[in-house]
Amino acid sequence: MKRNFILLACCQVMACLVMAQDHRFDPPWNTPPQSSVMFTVPGINNTPDLFGDINDPQLVVFFAGNQFMCIDELIHAFKTAHPQYTRVFAETLPPGILARQIEGGSLTMGNLRITLKPDVYTAGKTRIDAMAPLFEDTVAYAYNKLAIMVREGNPKNIKGLKDLGKKEVRVAMPNPEFEGIGKRIEAAYVKAGGEALKNTIMNRKVQDSTTLLTQIHHRQTPLWVLYNRADAGPVWYSEAFYQKLIHHPVALIPIPDQENIQATYMAGSLKKAPHPQAAKDFMQFLQTVTAKAIYKKYGFDTP
């Protein structure tokens, strides 16, 4: 009996160790640029939200992070349309973090310090409007809505936002302090179940750790769901759509229109853009049929 118990305990420890070293779903989910040395190490050296040429770029774009899946094709198509631009650098971090980077002039990730100034910044309409004095020009170019991401097979039988208030459901929730989507999800909670549902998910469940707050939800929520740290996560529709598109074992639970919200994605060219002509060219490119087709491919709507 004792031997069996020890064997079972050893198996459990080994299972935990295997899970701790399981990086099969880790980003980058995009296709990395080719270099003479490819040295991405899952779980150790991996910077999926920094794209392209950081040395002497001809265009720098700060994208609200949930557009990361579009970047490969978007930048390639822009370079094809404007072959004079061969070096482009992009970041896809939470828009609140990017706004603070613009304000402060630098960002450190690990041991890397970035002091590049953006030519174009993209975010939701509310944030772009709040930062209006910084921009030379602004344009709306895409729309999105919310959905719920769960593991394939939906083991907790999540049917809607109200189910996220159940005590047995572990929720990955964007932290409103860092991520604009957090406030929009809170508004959807109120639509679905009133202030009571919002308070349950954002207060009581945070306190008992059945709501886990992210700092960068477009990376953390999929990984927490895929590695069974969370049962469900409210995300942008395009994010759940993309995880299914790359055949990760997740399911997308739609949210009815009466409980949902619509996000308007806007781009602003900075008055102090280091590359003003490149900024103008990219702003115009975002309004082309080509750019709109890329966004539609990944689950966004467009004007």
Side-chain angles (χ1 to χ4, degrees):
M1 184 73 175
K2 183 177 180 181
R3 181 184 177 188
N4 289 341
F5 176 79
I6 294 173
L7 183 60
L8 177 61
C10 288
C11 289
Q12 290 175 334
V13 169
M14 289 300 294
C16 289
L17 289 173
V18 170
M19 185 176 295
Q21 298 301 318
D22 186 359
H23 296 292
R24 64 199 146 127
F25 299 122
D26 283 17
W29 299 314
N30 302 68
T31 302
Q34 289 298 306
S35 295
S36 59
V37 178
M38 305 296 289
F39 194 64
T40 298
V41 183
I44 302 296
N45 280 332
N46 186 0
T47 52
D49 287 301
L50 305 180
F51 293 80
D53 295 281
I54 200 167
N55 294 320
D56 192 25
Q58 297 164 295
L59 171 69
V60 177
V61 185
F62 286 3
F63 287 95
N66 52 76
Q67 300 166 75
F68 71 87
M69 66 287 290
C70 302
I71 302 304
D72 290 352
E73 293 184 42
L74 199 68
I75 298 303
H76 175 76
F78 174 71
K79 288 179 176 180
T80 300
H82 297 274
Q84 68 269 36
Y85 302 117
T86 60
R87 299 184 308 280
V88 177
F89 177 72
E91 295 183 14
T92 56
L93 295 168
I97 298 299
L98 294 174
R100 288 162 56 183
Q101 184 179 355
I102 292 172
E103 180 182 6
S106 62
L107 175 140
T108 294
M109 182 180 295
N111 293 319
L112 175 67
R113 185 170 186 263
I114 300 171
T115 57
L116 294 173
K117 293 178 173 56
D119 299 299
V120 175
Y121 169 70
T122 83
K125 184 178 185 302
T126 299
R127 190 174 294 276
I128 293 290
D129 287 347
M131 297 170 61
L134 298 180
F135 301 122
E136 183 71 31
D137 187 25
T138 61
V139 63
Y141 62 91
Y143 305 117
N144 216 337
K145 59 185 177 182
L146 298 175
I148 302 172
M149 186 186 301
V150 299
R151 287 195 304 286
E152 192 174 56
N154 193 10
K156 289 296 178 74
N157 195 28
I158 305 296
K159 296 179 180 178
L161 291 172
K162 288 183 179 179
D163 290 331
L164 304 189
K166 295 178 179 178
K167 61 182 181 180
E168 70 272 16
V169 175
R170 299 166 299 168
V171 180
M173 173 67 200
N175 190 330
E177 181 180 349
F178 301 103
E179 307 191 77
I181 186 178
K183 292 290 186 185
R184 308 305 302 276
I185 294 170
E186 287 183 325
Y189 289 152
V190 173
K191 286 184 177 184
E195 290 290 337
L197 179 62
K198 172 187 167 183
N199 290 335
T200 294
I201 297 171
M202 298 303 297
N203 293 315
R204 181 178 62 78
K205 287 172 66 73
V206 168
Q207 292 172 6
D208 67 18
S209 297
T210 55
T211 290
L212 304 172
L213 297 178
T214 72
Q215 288 182 284
I216 182 164
H217 86 274
H218 65 274
R219 301 296 180 186
Q220 289 171 301
T221 295
L223 287 175
W224 290 355
V225 170
L226 287 164
Y227 290 129
N228 196 23
R229 187 179 174 188
D231 301 305
V235 294
W236 293 120
Y237 179 93
S238 56
E239 294 172 307
F241 181 90
Y242 176 71
Q243 291 298 320
K244 288 177 62 63
L245 191 66
I246 60 175
H247 307 296
H248 279 171
V250 303
L252 184 159
I253 309 301
I255 297 172
D257 289 344
Q258 64 269 25
E259 297 176 4
N260 217 321
I261 57 91
Q262 178 173 283
T264 300
Y265 290 75
M266 296 189 69
S269 56
L270 278 295
K271 289 179 179 178
K272 295 183 179 181
H275 314 98
Q277 185 59 50
K280 181 178 179 180
D281 290 340
F282 190 75
M283 292 283 285
Q284 292 175 346
F285 172 74
L286 282 176
Q287 301 170 68
T288 64
V289 172
T290 299
K292 290 180 180 182
I294 292 169
Y295 276 93
K296 288 180 180 178
K297 175 180 176 179
Y298 291 105
F300 295 82
D301 289 324
T302 61

